[in-house]
Amino acid sequence: MLWNSQSHCIEVRIFFLVVCLPGHVDDLFPFFLRHAKQIFPMLDCMDDLRKISDLRLPPNWYPEARAIQRKIVFHAGPTNSGKTHHAIQRYLAAKSGIYCGPLKLLAHEIFQKSNDACVPCDLVTGEERVLVDPEGRQATHVSCTIEMCSVTTPYEVAVIDEIQMIRDPARGWAWTRALLGLSAEEVHVCGEVAAIDLVTELMYSTGEEVEVRNYKRLTPITVLDYALESLDNLRPGDCIVCFNKNDIYSVSRQIEARGLECAVIYGSLPPGTKLTQAKKFNDPDDPCKILVATDAIGMGLNLSIKRIIFNSLIKPSINEKGEKEMDAITTSQALQISGRAGRFSSVFKEGEVTTMHRDDLVLLKEILNRSVPPIETAGLHPTAEQIEMFAYHLPDATLSNLMDIFVSLSQVDGLYFVCNVDDFKFLADMIQHIPLNLRVRYVFCTAPINKKQPFVCTSLLKFARQFSRNEPLTFDWICRHTNWPLVPPKNIKDLVHLEAVHDVFDLYLWLSYRFMDMFPDANLVRDIQKELDNIIQIGVRSITRLIRASERTEVNDRMLNLKDLPAANQEQFSSVTKVPGQKRIRGSKALGYKPAEVQSNMKSYGQGSLAARLVREGLLTQEMLKQLEREWQVHHNNNGNFPTGKRDNQNGSKGTGKKK
C-alpha cells in the first residue's frame, strides 16, 4: 500500500467505519475500489486498453500490401546452397526492387553488387543513407537492413533474407513486418526449411499462396572423426570458432606463440575492420592462414574456410523472458556456422567440421544429426502509435510502465509472440528523469545499443539530456565527449574502449537521421568514425601485443611488487601465478600450453603470487597491501630495521605473512 496522504486518509476512514460505526463489511468496498483505481488507473479504461493492445490481426496493419495480390516465393535450403543468389538475380532483373538483410555488411554487399551490375541501387541502414544519383534522386533499387525497409513504397520485387530470424526474441518483429507489409508484386523469401510452414500459414491469413523452391548444398561438407586437440595441428584455411571475446584473445595469443599469423573477427568490431580481417585471411599471398572468430562469421562475410573448429559448444543466449542462459548451441546455429566451410565461391571446394576437444565431438555430431524443429511463431513489437494511445489513457504512467501494461494486456493468436522488451525498458528507465515528449522518448529507447557497454549507455543519457535542453549536439561537443582525437590502443582495455567509441558514433549517426536539427554534423562524425575504424584495425592487427600488454598490466595490478625484499624472504611468496585469459581456455593442458611471455613474467613477479591469492580469498584487502608496501619501503630505507611501534618482528616477509 502506498503511504501517501490520500491512501492514509482512506485508511483513517476505513478504521473509523470499522471501529466506531456499526455496519457491514460490504460498506468497505467503495473505499477499496477508489483506492484500487488510484493505484491501478488502467481499471477505469480497461476495455479501451485491451482494444489498443489487441495484436491478433497484424496483416491488417499494412493496407498497401493488402491492396495488391503478391506472389510469395520461398527459397529454402542450407548455407551455401545458392538460394539467396537466385533471389538476387530476380531482384537485379526487376524494374524496381528492395533487398532486406539482417546485417549492415549484407546490405553493403548487395548495394555494391547491384551497382557493379549497372543496376543503380541506394543504401539505407540505421546509421547511413547513400544515394547513388548525383542529384539526390532515389534509385529504383535499394538495399537496406530489415528494420529500415519501407512498407509504403511500391516495388516490383522484394527480397527478405534469413527469414528464420522471424523467431528471434528481440528482432523477430522486423521480419514479420517485412513479410506482411512489403508492397511488392513478388516477395522472395530466403532461409531455412524450418520456416516454410510458418510462412505458409502467415500468408494463408493474407490470402496469398507460397511457392517453395528447395536447394541443396553446392559443395560437400564432412564432420571429421577426430578432434583437433592441439593447436599444433592447425592447417591453412582453419577457422576456430569461440563464443566469447576472452577465448578469442586466448586462442589467438596461443596461435601466434607458435609462430603462426591469425585473423580475428568478432561481433563488436566495426564493419570495416571485419572486412579488412576477412580480406587478410582470404588473400592467398598473405601469410595469415588461420582465422579465430565468434559466430559473427555465420552471416555477412565471404570467407575461404577449409575447416571449422568449434572451440566450445556452449554459448550464452537470451531467452524470450530476457533471461541469460548457458546452453549448447542449437542445430540451426551449428549448421549455420559449419556451413561456412568449403563455400562454393572459395578456393576450398570441400568443407570439414570438428571440435577442439575430443569430448565435444560426440555432442557436435549429435547436434548436427538432429532435425531442425519447425519455427512456430513470428515476433511482434508495440508501435509508437500504440504506446501513444496507451499514454492518452494513462498520462501519469512512465514509458517503462506503459510498455509493461501493454505487454501484459496484449492478445496474440497462436502464430505470433510479443518480442522481448527488456532492453527497451532498460533505456526507458535510464532516461525517465529527463523531460522529453513521448515520441522522442520512444525513439531514444529503440536505439540499437548494447546495454552492457557503460560508456555507450552514458553517452545515450548525455545525448538525451542535451536534446531536452534543445541544444544541438555539434561536432565539437561529440569530440569533447569522446576525447577525440584518439590514439592506437596499448592494451585490450584500450581496444574495447575504442570499440565503444565507435558504437557511440554509430548512435550519433542513428539519431541524426531521426532528429536532423539536433544532430547536425553527421558527415563530420562519419569522417572521424572512418578514422577510428583505421585506428581499431591497427590494434586488431597487433592484437597479441595488446594481450601481452594486458597480461603484464593485470599481473602488476594483482601482485605486490616485492623486488626489494631480502632474497632469503622471497621464497615464501613463490607459487603458480594465474594468468589472465589462461583460466578460460578449456583443455589448455592437453594443448601443452606454456606461454613464454607468461613464464618470463612469473620469473620477474613470482614473489607476489601469495599476496594476490590472499586478496582473492578475502584475507587481505587492497588497503592492507598498500600498508604492507609502505612498511617494506620504510624497512628498506632504514637499512632493514622496521619502524618502532609498527613491527617488532624482524623476520621479514615470513613474519608478515603469519601476522596478516
Side-chain angles (χ1 to χ4, degrees):
M1 185 172 292
L2 297 179
W3 289 93
N4 54 35
S5 58
Q6 291 181 332
S7 60
H8 182 66
C9 181
I10 291 174
E11 289 174 7
V12 172
R13 291 179 184 177
I14 292 173
F15 177 81
F16 179 76
L17 285 170
V18 173
V19 177
C20 302
L21 296 177
H24 193 270
V25 68
D26 290 349
D27 296 337
L28 299 177
F29 182 73
F31 298 96
F32 165 77
L33 187 61
R34 185 187 309 170
H35 178 69
K37 287 181 178 181
Q38 288 177 351
I39 304 303
F40 304 104
M42 74 284 295
L43 293 175
D44 271 335
C45 51
M46 189 66 76
D47 290 341
D48 290 335
L49 296 180
R50 287 191 184 279
K51 289 178 182 177
I52 297 169
S53 59
D54 189 343
L55 307 179
R56 288 176 292 185
L57 293 173
N60 293 348
W61 303 349
Y62 309 104
E64 290 85 356
R66 300 291 77 80
I68 61 176
Q69 187 66 26
R70 305 181 304 171
K71 177 182 178 180
I72 313 296
V73 181
F74 196 124
H75 301 265
T79 303
N80 193 29
S81 60
K83 57 185 184 296
T84 305
H85 171 77
H86 285 85
I88 293 300
Q89 292 305 113
R90 179 67 189 95
Y91 161 84
L92 294 175
K95 295 178 181 177
S96 63
I98 180 171
Y99 168 84
C100 307
L103 301 172
K104 287 184 282 187
L105 282 173
L106 284 170
H108 273 272
E109 181 184 341
I110 302 304
F111 164 73
Q112 193 68 46
K113 184 177 293 186
S114 296
N115 288 297
D116 289 346
C118 299
V119 178
C121 177
D122 294 337
L123 175 70
V124 178
T125 70
E127 300 82 17
E128 190 173 11
R129 308 285 191 281
V130 178
L131 301 179
V132 293
D133 186 90
E135 297 181 4
R137 290 189 295 265
Q138 290 187 348
T140 55
H141 289 65
V142 61
S143 178
C144 65
T145 45
I146 194 158
E147 286 87 352
M148 301 305 298
C149 70
S150 168
V151 293
T152 57
T153 306
Y155 299 100
E156 181 182 348
V157 170
V159 176
I160 303 174
D161 208 357
E162 306 294 351
I163 187 62
Q164 69 274 3
M165 291 190 70
I166 200 168
R167 68 181 163 200
D168 187 85
R171 297 179 66 200
W173 63 269
W175 276 263
T176 305
R177 174 177 174 270
L179 181 62
L180 297 177
L182 282 172
S183 181
E185 298 171 23
E186 295 180 25
V187 178
H188 290 255
V189 179
C190 308
E192 296 178 3
V193 173
I196 292 177
D197 290 346
L198 176 61
V199 171
T200 302
E201 287 193 61
L202 293 175
M203 294 301 93
Y204 179 80
S205 68
T206 65
E208 296 163 330
E209 294 185 1
V210 179
E211 175 190 339
V212 179
R213 299 178 187 175
N214 288 295
Y215 300 82
K216 294 183 178 180
R217 186 177 167 87
L218 297 174
T219 56
I221 188 166
T222 304
V223 182
L224 300 178
D225 291 326
Y226 54 89
L228 188 71
E229 298 198 67
S230 171
L231 294 177
D232 294 328
N233 299 324
L234 287 172
R235 303 193 304 252
D238 279 350
C239 172
I240 301 177
V241 176
C242 307
F243 292 115
N244 66 67
K245 281 204 291 188
N246 284 333
D247 285 350
I248 290 277
Y249 299 148
S250 298
V251 172
S252 59
R253 174 77 172 86
Q254 295 176 69
I255 290 172
E256 298 214 2
R258 287 165 164 77
L260 302 173
E261 284 194 38
C262 67
V264 174
I265 295 174
Y266 51 87
S268 59
L269 285 177
T273 305
K274 290 178 185 173
L275 289 172
T276 300
Q277 290 290 297
K279 184 178 179 181
K280 176 183 175 71
F281 173 70
N282 290 337
D283 186 354
D285 299 323
D286 196 292
C288 172
K289 301 300 180 187
I290 308 296
L291 175 63
V292 183
T294 63
D295 53 341
I297 63 165
M299 296 180 190
L301 291 168
N302 294 316
L303 298 162
S304 292
I305 298 171
K306 169 66 174 177
R307 181 170 59 171
I308 290 285
I309 303 158
F310 285 92
N311 187 59
S312 168
L313 297 175
I314 304 301
K315 180 178 189 272
S317 61
I318 304 297
N319 63 21
E320 292 184 5
K321 297 179 181 179
E323 300 165 338
K324 186 175 182 180
E325 296 178 340
M326 298 292 291
D327 204 354
I329 58 175
T330 65
T331 300
S332 177
Q333 291 167 337
L335 290 170
Q336 184 80 25
I337 297 168
S338 301
R340 308 306 289 180
R343 289 182 64 83
F344 182 73
S345 58
S346 75
V347 297
F348 302 108
K349 300 307 178 186
E350 294 183 7
E352 297 174 346
V353 185
T354 187
T355 59
M356 176 68 74
H357 310 291
R358 190 183 308 171
D359 294 344
D360 287 339
L361 189 55
V362 176
L363 177 58
L364 176 63
K365 290 182 176 181
E366 180 187 332
I367 291 172
L368 291 173
N369 286 329
R370 296 174 192 159
S371 59
V372 179
I375 300 171
E376 298 178 345
T377 52
L380 297 173
H381 193 280
T383 65
E385 291 77 15
Q386 290 167 328
I387 296 301
E388 282 181 334
M389 286 189 283
F390 252 53
Y392 173 79
H393 292 284
L394 304 170
D396 296 325
T398 66
L399 180 54
S400 180
N401 287 341
L402 288 173
M403 189 64 74
D404 268 336
I405 297 168
F406 187 99
V407 172
S408 65
L409 295 180
S410 63
Q411 303 173 71
V412 295
D413 67 20
L415 295 178
Y416 301 96
F417 70 92
V418 179
C419 285
N420 182 273
V421 294
D422 283 352
D423 287 353
F424 183 99
K425 288 166 53 185
F426 172 83
L427 297 182
D429 289 334
M430 187 175 71
I431 64 172
Q432 180 56 41
H433 64 286
I434 299 175
L436 299 167
N437 70 55
L438 185 64
R439 178 59 70 106
V440 170
R441 192 180 299 277
Y442 182 96
V443 171
F444 268 85
C445 293
T446 56
I449 70 170
N450 183 354
K451 67 180 183 182
K452 295 179 182 178
Q453 293 183 324
F455 183 67
V456 181
C457 293
T458 301
S459 299
L460 178 70
L461 188 64
K462 290 185 177 181
F463 286 3
R465 188 175 291 118
Q466 188 87 348
F467 189 105
S468 71
R469 299 177 186 140
N470 201 31
E471 298 175 1
L473 290 94
T474 62
F475 178 71
D476 290 340
W477 188 94
I478 195 73
C479 287
R480 288 195 302 272
H481 173 64
T482 58
N483 293 320
W484 184 265
L486 298 166
V487 297
K490 297 178 181 178
N491 52 46
I492 291 296
K493 183 178 179 181
D494 291 348
L495 178 61
V496 171
H497 177 68
L498 292 181
E499 292 167 5
V501 174
H502 191 279
D503 287 349
V504 169
F505 291 160
D506 260 349
L507 175 61
Y508 183 99
L509 295 172
W510 190 89
L511 289 167
S512 72
Y513 286 108
R514 289 144 183 87
F515 308 108
M516 294 183 183
D517 293 341
M518 297 301 293
F519 297 84
D521 294 330
N523 291 333
L524 294 173
V525 171
R526 184 171 290 106
D527 289 341
I528 62 172
Q529 188 184 45
K530 291 176 181 176
E531 292 182 42
L532 178 57
D533 199 331
N534 293 331
I535 294 172
I536 292 174
Q537 288 180 36
I538 294 171
V540 173
R541 281 199 297 269
S542 56
I543 194 165
T544 53
R545 177 180 60 78
L546 303 187
I547 295 169
R548 288 196 297 269
S550 297
E551 287 174 352
R552 286 194 294 268
T553 301
E554 192 163 344
V555 167
N556 288 337
D557 289 344
R558 294 175 59 189
M559 298 172 63
L560 180 62
N561 188 350
L562 301 174
K563 288 181 181 178
D564 295 329
L565 283 178
N569 297 325
Q570 293 180 358
E571 295 179 1
Q572 178 67 26
F573 290 88
S574 298
S575 67
V576 177
T577 302
K578 291 186 178 180
V579 179
Q582 185 177 354
K583 175 182 175 183
R584 291 182 174 268
I585 303 173
R586 182 180 169 188
S588 59
K589 291 183 180 178
L591 296 175
Y593 176 46
K594 295 179 180 178
E597 186 71 28
V598 171
Q599 290 180 344
S600 67
N601 282 341
M602 288 169 62
K603 290 178 182 177
S604 300
Y605 297 99
Q607 304 94 329
S609 58
L610 176 61
R613 190 170 73 248
L614 291 174
V615 170
R616 287 196 301 272
E617 294 173 357
L619 301 176
L620 276 180
T621 66
Q622 292 294 337
E623 289 73 23
M624 290 178 180
L625 285 177
K626 291 176 182 177
Q627 179 64 30
L628 276 174
E629 191 172 8
R630 287 193 293 269
E631 289 181 22
W632 281 118
Q633 188 62 44
V634 173
H635 164 72
H636 178 72
N637 294 337
N638 291 341
N639 297 318
N641 296 319
F642 281 101
T644 304
K646 292 197 174 183
R647 172 64 76 194
D648 296 324
N649 187 347
Q650 296 188 24
N651 290 330
S653 62
K654 187 173 181 179
T656 302
K658 288 184 178 180
K659 182 72 175 177
K660 289 293 180 183

